[in-house]
């Protein structure tokens, strides 16, 4: 994206993020990066790792300082990635949903520790799609806090299980275990409490107040004019899914400009008041495991993860650094890799959104070179750099 002219006065303050010129960025470790230097760093990595397209946003003083897009949203058509290109957010959906939940908590409409079945008004196994839990009374223990901190004991997705059945993998509240299913159950409770759908709630409470017109939990006709395809590890395009059902755990479609603006609003206190934000990013459960997913997800973590006190808050991961606490959320799917991390005491953040399964191979060097972040648990995240050699 080429920097556009800056209007003066009030007009400048109201220009969309994509129209703002990038400015020098000051990293966590004290370096000053010029926009041209950042452009070259990203482009060099992009070319080396066979990534189709990537968006990068850097925030400083709780404002977007740098927003650039690289590569293609459609490689066959040579259509460039742009700040307002619709991209699949995947599990960034969960971070947004957590903010909606905390708004209800702040309003006194939801208690994080009240059993969810009391909100939905009937036994959870009687809900459509939740019949598999019949006969296991542990559903009575499930709460919003457990769902948001990934301690429900439910699997990530039932369809990953060998028999595709939903069942508890461990006692609710006992430990961390990433679960999209838990978020989906919480969505049912939230919609019951509010008397509105997730789509309505997000529009009324987030997208319209924040002026984010190209973000939604379902596919919108307006996305058709400018959207990205996802690409696999070999650079082959994947079919674009136009999601028609809002899912708290993973249906978000957004743009780099919109999601960067959302992060800025969150950091500025325009999404949640200080007490609600503090509770959302407070460590709720330590993560003592080597990896987030796969066979290593229950294997004891290396010392590096304990050093940073890796934990989960409510909808966001959290860890400690030399620059104060940080909170993060990623989003992965075939053809899509996204990562966001915020250092609230430093008022800095980084957003990465890629339409390639190879994009996460760039995340560690980008975190280090652009932000000065060396603490993010890259091995737990499986952010193995494209040129990494095991020592």
């Amino acid at each position: 994206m080429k920097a556009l002219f800056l209007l003066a006065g009030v007009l400048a303050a109201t220009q969309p993020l994509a129209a703002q010129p990038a400015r020098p960025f000051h990293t966590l470790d004290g370096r000053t990066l010029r926009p041209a230097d950042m452009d070259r760093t990203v482009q060099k990595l992009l070319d080396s790792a066979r990534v189709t397209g990537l968006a990068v946003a850097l925030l400083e003083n709780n404002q977007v300082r740098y927003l650039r897009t690289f590569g293609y949203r459609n490689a066959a058509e040579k259509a460039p990635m742009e700040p307002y290109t619709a991209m699949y957010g995947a599990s960034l959906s969960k971070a947004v949903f957590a903010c909606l939940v905390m708004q209800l908590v702040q309003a006194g409409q939801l208690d994080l520790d009240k059993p969810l079945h009391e909100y939905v008004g009937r036994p959870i196994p009687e809900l459509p799609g939740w019949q598999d839990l019949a006969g296991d009374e542990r559903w009575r223990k499930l709460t919003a806090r457990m769902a948001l901190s990934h301690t429900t004991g439910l699997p990530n997705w039932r369809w990953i299980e060998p028999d595709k059945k939903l069942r508890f993998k461990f006692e609710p509240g006992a430990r961390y275990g990433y679960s999209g299913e838990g978020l989906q159950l919480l969505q049912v409770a939230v919609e019951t409490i509010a008397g509105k759908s997730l789509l309505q709630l997000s529009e009324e409470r987030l997208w319209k107040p924040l002026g984010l017109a190209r973000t939604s939990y379902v596919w919108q006709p307006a996305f058709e004019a400018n959207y990205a395809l996802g690409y696999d590890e070999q650079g082959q395009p994947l079919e674009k899914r136009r999601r028609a059902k809002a899912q708290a755990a993973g249906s978000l479609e957004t743009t780099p400009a919109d999601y960067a603006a959302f992060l800025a609003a969150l950091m500025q206190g325009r999404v949640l008041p200080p007490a609600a934000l503090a509770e959302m990013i407070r460590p709720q459960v330590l993560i003592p495991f080597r990896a987030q997913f796969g066979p290593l997800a229950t294997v004891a973590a290396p010392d590096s993860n304990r050093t940073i006190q890796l934990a989960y808050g409510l909808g966001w991961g959290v860890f400690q650094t030399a620059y104060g606490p940080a909170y993060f959320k990623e989003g992965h799917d075939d053809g899509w890799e996204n990562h966001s991390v915020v250092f609230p005491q430093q008022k800095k953040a980084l957003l990465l959104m890629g339409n390639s399964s190879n994009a996460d191979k760039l995340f560690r060097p980008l975190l280090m070179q652009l932000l000065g972040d060396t603490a993010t648990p890259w091995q737990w995240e499986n952010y193995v750099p494209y040129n990494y050699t095991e020592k």
Side-chain angles (χ1 to χ4, degrees):
M1 181 191 76
K2 295 182 179 179
L4 302 180
F5 62 89
L6 177 65
L7 295 179
V10 176
L11 287 177
T14 60
Q15 284 296 294
L17 287 176
Q20 299 292 335
R23 290 172 286 174
F25 179 80
H26 304 92
T27 66
L28 293 168
D29 53 358
R31 292 172 290 124
T32 298
L33 302 178
R34 298 177 303 170
D37 297 331
M38 293 185 279
D39 290 349
R40 283 191 291 270
T41 295
V42 177
Q43 190 63 60
K44 181 179 179 181
L45 289 169
L46 196 79
D47 294 340
S48 299
R50 297 178 60 196
V51 171
T52 311
L54 184 73
V56 180
L58 285 160
L59 291 82
E60 185 171 5
N61 196 27
N62 295 343
Q63 298 178 340
V64 178
R65 283 290 179 87
Y66 174 92
L67 175 60
R68 290 285 194 266
T69 52
F70 303 83
Y72 298 109
R73 65 179 189 266
N74 187 315
E77 297 179 1
K78 302 296 182 185
M81 185 73 75
E82 296 174 329
Y84 290 106
T85 296
M87 302 179 70
Y88 178 45
S91 285
L92 295 182
S93 307
K94 297 179 176 70
V96 172
F97 180 61
C99 293
L100 289 172
V101 173
M102 294 308 295
Q103 288 182 350
L104 296 180
V105 171
Q106 183 70 22
Q109 295 179 263
L110 186 149
D111 185 327
L112 287 168
D113 299 307
K114 182 176 178 178
L116 294 179
H117 71 88
E118 296 185 26
Y119 286 114
V120 300
R122 52 178 163 161
I124 288 173
E126 293 183 8
L127 295 172
W130 294 87
Q131 299 89 337
D132 287 349
L133 296 184
D136 190 333
E137 293 295 301
R138 287 181 288 183
W139 58 262
R140 296 182 180 275
K141 300 180 180 181
L142 298 176
T143 66
R145 190 184 302 277
M146 291 178 186
L148 290 173
S149 62
H150 296 282
T151 58
T152 60
L154 296 171
N156 189 9
W157 296 110
R158 67 191 76 185
W159 52 264
I160 298 176
E161 299 300 302
D163 60 0
K164 304 190 185 304
K165 295 286 187 179
L166 180 66
R167 63 173 61 86
F168 287 100
K169 301 177 77 68
F170 55 87
E171 188 71 15
R175 64 172 176 83
Y176 171 86
Y178 196 83
S179 174
E181 296 283 0
L183 273 292
Q184 292 303 114
L185 178 59
L186 180 55
Q187 178 183 339
V188 176
V190 164
E191 291 178 331
T192 302
I193 292 166
K196 296 178 180 179
S197 68
L198 173 59
L199 188 61
Q200 290 174 293
L201 285 170
S202 57
E203 285 287 340
E204 294 174 4
R205 289 177 168 268
L206 292 175
W207 314 138
K208 288 182 179 178
L210 299 178
L212 308 181
R214 288 182 60 78
T215 299
S216 179
Y217 272 105
V218 299
W219 184 261
Q220 300 290 343
F223 298 155
E224 292 290 347
N226 188 346
Y227 69 89
L229 295 175
Y231 290 81
D232 66 17
E233 290 85 349
Q234 289 71 46
Q236 296 302 307
L238 302 171
E239 182 179 358
K240 179 65 179 179
R241 288 188 60 188
R242 292 166 170 81
R243 292 166 174 81
K245 182 179 180 181
Q247 292 188 310
S251 67
L252 190 74
E253 194 82 17
T254 186
T255 71
D258 269 16
Y259 205 81
F262 167 72
L263 286 178
L266 181 63
M267 295 165 69
Q268 293 163 12
R270 294 192 289 122
V271 176
L272 293 171
L277 176 60
E279 180 63 15
M280 187 173 72
I281 62 175
R282 179 179 69 84
Q284 305 281 329
V285 57
L286 291 175
I287 302 176
F289 305 122
R290 189 174 294 271
Q292 186 174 18
F293 301 110
L296 298 180
T298 57
V299 175
D303 290 340
S304 59
N305 282 12
R306 289 194 291 272
T307 299
I308 64 171
Q309 300 176 50
L310 180 64
Y312 227 82
L314 299 175
W316 300 74
V318 296
F319 59 96
Q320 298 294 323
T321 79
Y323 309 105
Y327 59 97
F328 68 95
K329 188 69 193 83
E330 66 291 283
H332 313 293
D333 200 358
D334 292 341
W336 302 96
E337 296 289 347
N338 309 301
H339 185 81
S340 60
V341 61
V342 178
F343 289 77
Q345 291 182 3
Q346 303 298 321
K347 300 182 180 181
K348 301 181 194 293
L350 173 65
L351 170 66
L352 302 168
M353 299 182 70
N355 65 329
S356 166
S357 291
N358 291 327
D360 61 348
K361 296 178 174 62
L362 302 182
F363 288 179
R364 188 190 183 206
L366 287 171
L367 285 162
M368 294 172 64
Q369 295 180 45
L370 297 184
L371 185 58
D373 170 16
T374 60
T376 285
W378 63 274
Q379 290 171 306
W380 182 79
E381 294 274 17
N382 196 31
Y383 290 165
V384 179
Y386 69 96
N387 58 353
Y388 180 73
T389 301
E390 191 74 45
K391 295 180 180 179

